[in-house]
Amino acid sequence: MLKKFIGFFATILSFVMLFGGVNVALADTTPIPSATPDAISAPPSNATKTTLGITTIYSTPEQQKKGVTVYEETLKYGIAVPFQLPPGFRIPANKKVFDTLVVPKLVDVLGDGSVTKAAFDFQAAAAATSGNQLFNIDAPLGQKLYSVVAGKPSQQCPLQIEDTQISFFTDVNKASAQAKTLDTQGYFIYVSPVRQLRRKVLDALYDQYKDGNKNETCFLVNGATEKITVNFQDIFTLLPPNLQQPARETPFIFYPKFGKNLYILNARQSA
């Protein structure tokens, strides 16, 4: 059961998008993918492995749930966000057991937050500037895209996120620096190349669980967020032509078209 949980949580906290958890995007109006895996351009000829990451935004949790069904059951993608504990899994009551048996393995399998391809569907969101459309990007030939995914809690049990920060870099050192900066600002760092920050968020989730009288919903990230900030400034030349100048000037900021929250789906497929 522990092995099953580790595999499940690895896809949760990698990301893109999903932080790992990022995949072929879904339109807000339908659970059918707006772009199929075949619609994403072919990987570089010298690539030995292509890692796809997708980030999709929905207006309601019901639409998000339909998207999860499509990606998880039909396309067989690993869902990063939203997530919950596997049925029947019991979080160790002893923190030492959690630290010894669970945390090291989770941290080790999370990787460095890199993908070779990423697809985005921001159509359901209201954009403060631009970017609320469907598009995908590829890493430069022979390189990777390093992602940082973080959420700033406004309430911790159940977890409520006021701002979700997503950033991409081709330089692992820049990604690490961004993760450390967000950590000092009180963000939970879900995905980054910094190993100790990945461990720190696991400790925070466990503390929430214990402080919440062992309520497993305190170990749940449902993908709801009041605001999303996506920074492509380091890789703006990789975006579609119409988005390159806006992405160069400022991060894309998204708000709900109605209601309080946007709902993120992050998923991942390796081929």
Side-chain angles (χ1 to χ4, degrees):
M1 186 62 71
L2 177 60
K3 182 178 180 181
K4 180 179 179 182
F5 173 61
I6 289 169
F8 185 85
F9 214 138
T11 57
I12 287 170
L13 295 180
S14 69
F15 187 121
V16 223
M17 129 88 166
L18 135 182
F19 238 116
V22 207
N23 346 19
V24 179
L26 290 177
D28 179 58
T29 56
T30 173
I32 303 302
S34 298
T36 65
D38 292 338
I40 297 180
S41 57
S45 58
N46 66 339
T48 57
K49 183 177 181 180
T50 298
T51 304
L52 305 178
I54 294 176
T55 302
T56 301
I57 297 175
Y58 298 92
S59 296
T60 69
E62 291 78 17
Q63 292 167 345
Q64 180 198 53
K65 183 177 180 180
K66 291 179 181 179
V68 169
T69 298
V70 171
Y71 277 110
E72 185 171 47
E73 298 182 10
T74 304
L75 298 179
K76 307 302 181 183
Y77 278 42
I79 302 298
V81 177
F83 75 87
Q84 59 185 2
L85 296 173
F89 179 83
R90 292 293 177 265
I91 302 171
N94 186 293
K95 182 64 161 58
K96 185 176 181 179
V97 173
F98 180 78
D99 289 341
T100 302
L101 298 182
V102 179
V103 171
K105 295 179 181 180
L106 289 177
V107 171
D108 288 341
V109 300
L110 287 179
D112 56 7
S114 67
V115 297
T116 60
K117 307 171 75 67
F120 306 90
D121 188 349
F122 298 146
Q123 297 173 100
T129 52
S130 59
N132 53 339
Q133 62 187 69
L134 171 69
F135 61 96
N136 66 75
I137 57 177
D138 295 325
L141 187 65
Q143 297 187 43
K144 295 180 180 179
L145 300 171
Y146 293 91
S147 58
V148 176
V149 182
K152 189 169 188 178
S154 57
Q155 176 180 307
Q156 293 193 348
C157 188
L159 184 66
Q160 294 183 7
I161 301 299
E162 64 181 66
D163 180 36
T164 297
Q165 292 269 346
I166 303 172
S167 305
F168 283 87
F169 305 87
T170 54
D171 185 332
V172 65
N173 294 317
K174 289 183 178 179
S176 298
Q178 173 70 357
K180 292 175 182 177
T181 296
L182 291 173
D183 175 59
T184 64
Q185 296 173 359
Y187 282 80
F188 281 0
I189 311 302
Y190 300 125
V191 180
S192 86
V194 185
R195 190 178 191 275
Q196 59 266 35
L197 294 182
R198 300 200 302 270
R199 173 165 188 147
K200 185 175 180 178
V201 73
L202 295 174
D203 287 337
L205 290 173
Y206 188 88
D207 289 343
Q208 287 182 181
Y209 164 73
K210 292 300 292 289
D211 292 343
N213 296 318
K214 299 182 180 180
N215 182 348
E216 290 189 355
T217 62
C218 298
F219 222 95
L220 170 69
V221 178
N222 64 9
T225 182
E226 298 176 22
K227 173 187 174 185
I228 300 174
T229 304
V230 189
N231 192 329
F232 292 114
Q233 288 178 294
D234 190 70
I235 61 164
F236 73 92
T237 58
L238 303 179
L239 271 63
N242 68 307
L243 293 178
Q244 290 184 12
Q245 189 59 34
R248 180 181 185 179
E249 294 174 351
T250 184
F252 295 157
I253 297 176
F254 302 106
Y255 296 99
K257 290 182 178 179
F258 58 87
K260 181 181 180 181
N261 292 314
L262 293 166
Y263 296 84
I264 297 177
L265 187 153
N266 290 327
R268 177 176 179 154
Q269 180 188 49
S270 295

